[in-house]
């Protein structure tokens, strides 16, 4: 039987070949007069007024006085916004791990300025966006062309009234237009990128236009470019034949919703708007589980998808259309989960892929810091029950001052069974345990080999961490390293991947087994979860990995038991990925980690019959394009199955390492492990 992965790979190639052939069919080029006629037939020589007829979207565009309160309420943030805006005006950008780069007097919108590769001027269907033989990354020109910095410049303009900022906004749009003729560059190869670009252009324009009068010539140019964007998105929707769509399709719909509202009085615009509303309702139920998590096996992408749906709701509020109760109720759950998986450092756990993607990012926030979105959610839903009140400059710019009082609800332990993530919580420890299947209907586009892996936070500080993603298409080797079993806090057997990868398919994992949660118990005193996966059943002896976590909430003791079921001898490696912390190796079974300088630390113990901890380094990626050293602890060797290994993690506050070890051993006896 031919592997499903191979069939999909062939299908992708055939689909791309067919699209490439279409590029050789000559199509007439349309000038601005032609575009005007498409937008408003019979009025090609008249001024286009759609931009100024559209209802205002953001609070900063609606309320001319809001900018005065921003500086007093968020002085550090508004100062940073002005600094970032000045950089953008001077063509200085720090994108996707590039470091701060000056792009010259004229921005080259089609170059990967990290590698130096420039994509040529030719039909978008003939562009080779990924070449695994070089170190280029198409995300670099795409990220620059999203123009997230336009909203930064617009907000800075309302704070300073510096007309240079408005003129630079105009100049960069004209520059982008001249270098990117319709469908003729790499920046026309992805509808998602077009959608995010258009949303940023539109919102930035509205903020500028509140205080600055643009010439009609420029407004006509901007209107035409936005209409081109809508037409391109509608004709190049990233919708799969299988029905399992992703954040790309949601981004397409977001773009059509905003552009449909802009061109509502045209035949095209009204169709875009109606289509997007209908599809967003469907995709909310298809892509978001009943328990409120996006189905792409990634918490950072859950944040992006939540942002897309929240911006759709924001537009509906401002423009007078509504989404269904089921849409709103599920969006509330998405926001609650986003708060749940936000750590003490303000960043969502880097579980699954993370490419730093946001729709709107204008205040210098870390890409995995979604507290601005949580604040926006509390303003969209005034009785939204989150763990605390969130206040950010971004939410004030978008939605203004909240008129309601948010309900605060302390977070408790939970098992999200459909999505396959459990969270165990005590006063100082938060453990996230991952039991999720290959996402997106089995495609595994953003899934990592992290079955039965966990992350752990102590007093708000990351302890056990997910490695992140580093890069996508720039380097296949690094891409696969960061999503490998070996890079996660789980068990590696015979140095084989849990779900096998396919050469050349960087956004696919085979479904080699099924994870399942067999036990979940939570009380005021303790949490217990047991789960397993059979991905290694394909090995001789039919290996199954079962892991149990037990959290004693009074003593703050976390026990981890790994049972490897099956037969024959196998190489077993129990791996634990830690942040780059100060450590003390006490002996072969005890290691102390110090998350904070003045704290006693946290003890990691190997309680197996033959304890032997090996400490080395591994790489972690705090953001896209960036990698740094972390610490890895390994306990393993060759064992005859079945075999069991047990570990403990205990804060040392008020007790010695020996006392903590005795506590762990006593609890194991009590549990009869």
């Amino acid at each position: 039987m031919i592997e499903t992965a191979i069939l999909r790979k062939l299908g992708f190639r055939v689909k791309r070949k067919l699209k490439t052939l279409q590029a050789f069919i000559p199509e007439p080029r349309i000038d601005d007069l032609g575009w005007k006629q498409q937008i408003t037939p019979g009025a090609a020589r008249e001024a286009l007024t759609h931009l100024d007829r559209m209802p205002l979207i953001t609070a900063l565009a609606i309320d001319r006085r809001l900018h005065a309160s921003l500086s007093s309420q968020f002085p550090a943030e508004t100062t940073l916004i002005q600094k970032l805006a000045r950089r953008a005006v001077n063509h200085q950008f720090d994108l996707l791990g590039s470091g701060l780069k000056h792009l010259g007097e004229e921005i080259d919108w089609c170059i990967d300025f990290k590698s130096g590769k420039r994509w040529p001027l030719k039909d978008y269907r003939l562009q080779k966006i990924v070449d695994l033989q070089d170190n280029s990354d198409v995300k670099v020109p795409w990220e620059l062309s999203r123009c997230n910095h336009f909203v930064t410049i617009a907000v800075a303009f309302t704070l300073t009234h510096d007309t240079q900022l408005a003129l630079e906004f105009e100049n960069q749009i004209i520059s982008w237009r001249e270098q990117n003729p319709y469908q003729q560059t790499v920046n026309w190869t992805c509808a998602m990128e077009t959608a995010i670009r258009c949303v940023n252009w539109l919102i930035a324009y509205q903020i500028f236009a509140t205080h600055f009068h643009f010439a009609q010539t420029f407004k006509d140019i901007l209107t035409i470019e936005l209409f081109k964007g809508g037409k391109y998105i509608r004709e190049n929707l990233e919708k799969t034949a299988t029905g399992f769509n992703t954040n790309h399709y949601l981004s397409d719909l977001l773009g059509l919703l905003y552009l449909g509202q802009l061109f509502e009085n045209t035949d095209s615009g009204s169709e875009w708007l109606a289509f997007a509303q209908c599809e967003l309702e469907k995709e909310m139920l298809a892509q978001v589980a009943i328990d409120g998590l996006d189905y792409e096996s990634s918490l950072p992408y859950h944040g992006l998808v939540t942002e897309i749906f929240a911006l759709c709701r924001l537009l509906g509020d401002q423009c007078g259309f509504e989404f269904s109760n089921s849409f709103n109720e599920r969006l509330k759950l998405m926001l609650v989960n986003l708060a749940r998986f936000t750590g003490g450092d303000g960043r969502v756990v880097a579980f699954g892929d993370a490419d730093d993607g946001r729709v709107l990012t204008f205040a210098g926030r870390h890409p995995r810091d979604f507290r601005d979105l949580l604040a926006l959610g509390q303003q969209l839903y005034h009785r939204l029950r989150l763990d605390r009140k969130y206040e950010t400059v971004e939410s004030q710019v978008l939605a203004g001052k909240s008129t309601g009082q948010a309900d605060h609800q302390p977070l408790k332990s939970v098992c999200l069974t459909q999505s396959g993530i459990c969270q165990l919580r005590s006063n100082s420890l938060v453990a996230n345990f991952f039991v999720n299947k290959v996402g997106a209907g089995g495609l595994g586009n953003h899934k990592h080999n992290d079955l039965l892996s966990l992350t752990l936070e102590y007093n708000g500080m990351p302890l056990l961490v997910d490695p992140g993603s580093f890069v996508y298409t720039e380097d296949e080797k690094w891409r696969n390293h960061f999503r490998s079993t070996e890079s996660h806090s789980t068990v590696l057997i015979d140095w084989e991947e849990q779900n096998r990868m396919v050469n050349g398919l960087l956004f696919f994992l085979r479904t080699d087994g099924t994870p399942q949660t067999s036990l979940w118990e939570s009380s005021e005193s303790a949490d217990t979860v047991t789960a397993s996966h059979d991905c290694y059943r394909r090995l001789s002896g039919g290996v199954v990995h079962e892991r149990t976590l037990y959290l004693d909430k009074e003593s703050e003791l976390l026990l981890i038991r790994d049972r490897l079921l099956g037969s024959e001898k196998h190489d077993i490696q129990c791996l634990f990925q830690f942040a780059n912390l100060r450590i003390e190796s006490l002996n072969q079974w005890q290691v102390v980690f110090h998350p904070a300088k003045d704290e006693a630390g946290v003890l990691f113990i190997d309680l197996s019959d033959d304890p032997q901890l090996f400490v080395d380094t591994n790489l972690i990626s705090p953001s896209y394009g960036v990698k740094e050293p972390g610490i890895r602890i390994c306990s393993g060797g060759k064992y005859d199955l079945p075999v069991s290994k047990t570990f403990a993690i205990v804060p040392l506050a008020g007790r010695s390492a020996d006392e903590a070890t005795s506590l762990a051993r006593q609890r194991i006896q009590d549990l009869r492990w």
Side-chain angles (χ1 to χ4, degrees):
M1 182 177 179
I2 300 177
E3 290 276 6
T4 302
I6 304 304
L7 287 175
R8 292 198 183 201
K9 186 173 184 178
L10 291 173
F12 295 155
R13 287 180 174 176
V14 170
K15 185 177 179 181
R16 181 164 178 80
K17 288 291 185 184
L18 291 174
K19 196 171 184 180
T20 300
L21 289 174
Q22 295 173 354
F24 293 100
I25 302 174
E27 293 182 2
R29 297 287 173 222
I30 305 173
D31 60 14
D32 284 353
L33 288 178
W35 283 112
K36 280 190 175 184
Q37 287 185 329
Q38 284 201 26
I39 298 170
T40 309
R45 299 187 182 280
E46 296 180 9
L48 298 175
T49 58
H50 300 78
L51 281 169
D52 296 328
R53 287 181 177 178
M54 181 179 179
L56 297 176
I57 301 169
T58 71
L60 196 56
I62 296 168
D63 187 350
R64 291 174 173 267
R65 301 163 299 175
L66 182 59
H67 68 275
S69 65
L70 291 179
S71 295
S72 59
Q73 190 175 359
F74 304 100
E77 291 86 347
T78 51
T79 298
L80 178 59
I81 286 172
Q82 293 175 59
K83 178 181 179 180
L84 294 173
R86 187 56 54 191
R87 284 181 179 176
V89 166
N90 293 329
H91 303 171
Q92 293 178 313
F93 298 94
D94 182 357
L95 301 176
L96 304 179
S98 68
L100 189 62
K101 301 289 186 182
H102 181 243
L103 303 190
E105 293 301 313
E106 178 75 12
I107 295 175
D108 187 338
W109 297 95
C110 296
I111 193 171
D112 168 7
F113 56 81
K114 290 173 66 177
S115 70
K117 177 174 179 175
R118 189 184 193 284
W119 279 262
L121 181 68
K122 64 180 180 181
D123 189 287
Y124 73 105
R125 291 161 293 195
L126 300 176
Q127 300 280 350
K128 187 175 184 180
I129 60 176
V130 176
D131 188 345
L132 297 180
Q133 304 306 311
D134 62 28
N135 64 341
S136 64
D137 191 344
V138 73
K139 285 181 63 63
V140 176
W142 280 357
E143 188 76 13
L144 179 63
S145 287
R146 286 184 175 187
C147 298
N148 295 125
H149 61 281
F150 281 2
V151 179
T152 306
I153 297 173
V155 175
F157 173 75
T158 67
L159 299 170
T160 64
H161 299 287
D162 182 353
T163 57
Q164 183 187 5
L165 298 171
L167 294 175
E168 181 62 21
F169 167 70
E170 184 175 334
N171 290 338
Q172 288 195 25
I173 283 185
I174 293 172
S175 169
W176 193 95
R177 160 189 161 97
E178 290 175 347
Q179 293 184 36
N180 292 273
Y182 185 58
Q183 297 187 339
Q184 292 299 305
T185 71
V186 71
N187 290 316
W188 286 107
T189 55
C190 179
M192 175 184 189
E193 302 304 319
T194 301
I196 294 177
R197 176 172 69 248
C198 288
V199 170
N200 276 275
W201 285 18
L202 180 57
I203 289 178
Y205 169 79
Q206 286 200 333
I207 294 174
F208 271 120
T210 306
H211 302 276
F212 186 84
H213 178 71
F214 290 101
Q216 187 61 47
T217 303
F218 171 72
K219 290 195 285 188
D220 285 353
I221 287 173
L222 179 56
T223 303
I224 290 169
E225 291 304 308
L226 291 172
F227 186 83
K228 288 179 185 178
K231 179 178 172 62
Y232 174 82
I233 296 167
R234 188 65 179 92
E235 294 175 354
N236 294 274
L237 292 171
E238 296 163 283
K239 188 173 184 179
T240 67
T242 61
F244 295 106
N245 302 309
T246 69
N247 64 88
H248 275 246
Y249 186 51
L250 295 179
S251 300
D252 302 347
L253 297 176
L254 172 71
L256 288 180
L257 191 77
Y258 273 67
L259 295 170
Q261 184 65 57
L262 174 62
F263 297 106
E264 185 183 18
N265 62 341
T266 70
D267 291 341
S268 296
S270 60
E271 192 276 335
W272 298 343
L273 184 61
F275 173 79
Q277 286 180 270
C278 181
E279 288 295 290
L280 283 163
E281 292 279 1
K282 294 177 183 178
E283 293 301 315
M284 171 63 87
L285 300 182
Q287 295 196 39
V288 182
I290 294 173
D291 55 28
L293 274 180
D294 170 57
Y295 78 161
E296 291 188 80
S297 303
S298 163
L299 288 174
Y301 275 95
H302 172 79
L304 172 63
V305 169
T306 304
E307 180 184 15
I308 291 169
F309 284 127
L311 291 176
C312 292
R313 164 62 198 264
L314 174 68
L315 185 70
D317 283 2
Q318 305 295 33
C319 297
F321 60 85
E322 296 181 350
F323 289 94
S324 67
N325 287 336
S326 58
F327 178 100
N328 284 295
E329 290 305 311
R330 200 155 293 192
L331 179 53
K332 289 179 186 177
L333 282 176
M334 296 181 78
L335 290 160
V336 170
N337 281 329
L338 193 60
R340 170 176 296 283
F341 294 108
T342 293
D345 59 359
R347 303 173 186 179
V348 74
V349 176
F351 160 69
D353 269 348
D355 73 342
D356 293 4
R358 294 291 303 268
V359 179
L360 298 174
T361 171
F362 56 88
R365 192 173 297 276
H366 187 279
R368 284 194 289 110
D369 184 346
F370 290 92
R371 286 176 292 183
D372 59 317
L373 186 54
L374 296 174
L376 175 62
Q378 287 179 318
Q379 295 185 8
L380 294 175
Y381 302 104
H382 294 154
R383 306 303 295 180
L384 182 65
R385 297 176 65 85
L386 297 182
D387 56 322
R388 61 184 182 274
K389 177 68 176 176
Y390 292 88
E391 295 279 359
T392 68
V393 64
E394 295 96 331
S395 63
Q396 293 295 300
V397 167
L398 294 176
K401 187 173 179 59
S402 175
T403 58
Q405 180 63 39
D407 287 342
H408 300 169
Q409 179 173 278
L411 293 171
K412 296 182 178 180
S413 303
V414 69
C415 180
L416 303 177
T417 54
Q418 187 174 17
S419 296
I421 302 182
C422 301
Q423 188 175 80
L424 295 71
R425 304 183 72 97
S426 65
N427 286 333
S428 65
L429 295 177
V430 179
N432 298 304
F433 185 47
F434 305 112
V435 198
N436 65 317
K437 60 185 179 181
V438 175
L443 179 63
N445 55 328
H446 293 304
K447 167 73 173 167
H448 288 190
N449 275 327
D450 46 27
L451 288 174
L452 309 193
S453 179
L454 75 154
T455 63
L456 183 66
E457 180 181 284
Y458 172 61
N459 284 339
M461 299 286 290
L463 194 64
L464 283 169
V465 297
D466 185 278
S469 296
F470 184 43
V471 294
Y472 286 172
T473 61
E474 178 182 331
D475 191 305
E476 182 175 14
K477 179 182 176 182
W478 281 119
R479 162 67 171 155
N480 290 336
H481 170 79
F482 275 88
R483 63 179 183 146
S484 69
T485 309
E486 186 180 358
S487 290
H488 293 83
S489 296
T490 185
V491 176
L492 179 68
I493 302 178
D494 293 341
W495 302 95
E496 291 280 341
E497 294 291 350
Q498 293 173 340
N499 295 295
R500 287 168 291 175
M501 302 174 187
V502 179
N503 290 337
L505 288 184
L506 304 185
F507 299 94
F508 182 85
L509 286 176
R510 288 181 171 98
T511 304
D512 281 324
T514 303
Q516 60 179 353
T517 302
S518 56
L519 173 66
W520 168 255
E521 294 178 348
S522 182
S523 67
E524 294 297 321
S525 59
D527 294 333
T528 307
V529 59
T530 299
S532 64
H533 75 82
D534 59 356
C535 294
Y536 289 123
R537 195 180 289 277
R538 68 182 188 268
L539 304 180
S540 62
V543 184
V544 172
H545 175 205
E546 177 191 89
R547 172 169 277 184
T548 298
L549 301 186
Y550 172 83
L551 177 62
D552 185 309
K553 299 181 181 180
E554 181 179 355
S555 64
E556 308 274 16
L557 164 69
L558 178 66
L559 294 176
I560 305 165
R561 181 179 66 169
D562 288 311
R563 297 176 66 208
L564 288 309
L565 310 175
S567 61
E568 302 184 15
K569 179 170 285 189
H570 292 272
D571 191 302
I572 307 298
Q573 301 295 326
C574 299
L575 305 171
F576 297 91
Q577 314 290 339
F578 287 84
N580 192 10
L581 306 171
R582 185 168 63 89
I583 67 171
E584 297 176 69
S585 183
L586 303 182
N587 46 53
Q588 64 183 17
W589 67 87
Q590 293 175 320
V591 176
V592 179
F593 288 84
H594 294 273
K597 183 178 180 181
D598 298 327
E599 289 185 348
V602 179
L603 179 67
F604 182 89
I605 320 167
D606 186 342
L607 295 165
S608 306
D609 293 336
D610 55 343
Q612 183 66 53
L613 296 179
F614 298 93
V615 180
D616 64 2
T617 59
N618 192 24
L619 293 171
I620 56 179
S621 177
S623 58
Y624 190 91
V626 177
K627 63 180 186 292
E628 59 187 35
I631 297 170
R632 179 170 63 185
I633 287 184
C634 176
S635 175
K638 293 187 181 294
Y639 299 90
D640 290 313
L641 270 54
V643 68
S644 178
K645 294 179 72 64
T646 305
F647 308 91
I649 297 177
V650 197
L652 289 178
R655 55 193 162 208
S656 68
D658 288 342
E659 289 172 335
T661 302
S662 297
L663 171 66
R665 294 190 187 280
Q666 181 60 52
R667 192 50 46 89
I668 289 172
Q669 290 182 8
D670 296 342
L671 294 170
R672 297 182 180 179
W673 281 9

